[in-house]
Amino acid sequence: MISRLVVVPHPPLLVPELVTGAVPETEQVRSACLAAARDLAAHAADWVAVGVDPSGPRVVEDVRGTFRGFGVDVPVSLSDDASSVDEDLPLPVLVAAWLRERVGARSVRVHVVPPDLPTAECVALGERLGGSRALLVLGDGSHRHGERAVGRPDERAGPFDEDVRKALATADTGALRAIDPASAAELGASGRAAWQVAAGVPGAWRCTRSAFLAPFGVGYHLAVWDA
């Protein structure tokens, strides 16, 4: 039964080799993600994870990959024993592997879900997840914050991510289930489906760590929940 749940973003900027500039600005996000991942590794050596990518639904485990597609050949592995190679792993899978290696966990099995997965199906997947005491949830908030927005700035981005921040900080699964998929898609919040999977995981959850950062116009949510 899952008894610790960690939420992190998955931007490429977490990987130092991929950052050609603005290193000090990326360090705060990287340090926060690694701290949350260490909390997960302290709880269990083998993780289950959920991330969002159009290649889903599928499960990825026991393979090696690389960040070559993001500019630099940084190899990563989903487990200590992985021998096969997949050159086309999606970003959340690569970041899950990178975090696993950096904090010394033994393995991570990643459930990849499509970005348009309906809320009910997200919640149902969360209810079915098992096989580990530890769940890693990967997803970014809106990319429409302020002048540095990836897309055009949108005044709805702030209130949207504030609602998500509050839900994660209070372990409010009802509020996560209430996120509107259409609004999330319009605001570029790719983490919506993953957060709603987390909302379905059984447990009397309490949040022990949370943060929200948006240094590059993208909302990055972090949280640690214990049951």
Side-chain angles (χ1 to χ4, degrees):
M1 179 177 175
I2 294 169
S3 50
R4 179 165 289 174
L5 182 159
V6 163
V7 175
V8 295
H10 56 76
L13 63 81
L14 292 181
V15 182
E17 292 90 340
L18 304 183
V19 182
T20 56
V23 174
E25 294 184 87
T26 65
E27 181 57 34
Q28 185 179 13
V29 180
R30 184 180 306 112
S31 296
C33 288
L34 287 171
R38 290 188 191 100
D39 282 354
L40 200 63
H43 191 68
D46 299 300
W47 302 347
V48 175
V50 59
V52 182
D53 187 77
S55 65
R58 60 178 174 137
V59 179
V60 186
E61 58 185 329
D62 292 326
V63 297
R64 297 179 179 276
T66 174
F67 282 93
R68 184 183 295 114
F70 295 89
V72 181
D73 183 13
V74 180
V76 290
S77 174
L78 289 172
S79 72
D80 289 344
D81 301 323
S83 56
S84 61
V85 176
D86 186 337
E87 295 284 349
D88 296 311
L89 293 178
L91 181 58
V93 177
L94 292 169
V95 171
W98 184 83
L99 289 171
R100 175 200 79 82
E101 291 183 342
R102 294 306 177 277
V103 301
R106 184 166 49 222
S107 69
V108 57
R109 182 177 77 253
V110 186
H111 293 256
V112 180
V113 299
D116 59 352
L117 191 67
T119 298
E121 293 183 37
C122 294
V123 172
L125 174 58
E127 292 171 345
R128 298 193 304 269
L129 284 180
S132 173
R133 297 168 56 226
L135 174 64
L136 180 68
V137 179
L138 301 114
D140 294 348
S142 174
H143 63 206
R144 296 190 178 279
H145 287 274
E147 295 180 357
R148 305 182 78 174
V150 175
R152 59 178 176 78
D154 192 311
E155 63 184 11
R156 297 174 297 166
F160 174 89
D161 272 323
E162 176 60 13
D163 287 345
V164 175
R165 185 200 66 76
K166 288 179 180 177
L168 292 172
T170 57
D172 187 340
T173 57
L176 291 178
R177 295 182 191 205
I179 296 171
D180 177 44
S183 296
E186 290 172 6
L187 293 170
S190 64
R192 188 277 307 175
W195 302 329
Q196 291 187 326
V197 172
V201 178
W205 296 106
R206 59 185 179 87
C207 180
T208 60
R209 180 201 298 260
S210 69
F212 174 73
L213 304 165
F216 300 101
V218 182
Y220 299 138
H221 293 275
L222 300 103
V224 178
W225 291 5
D226 283 337

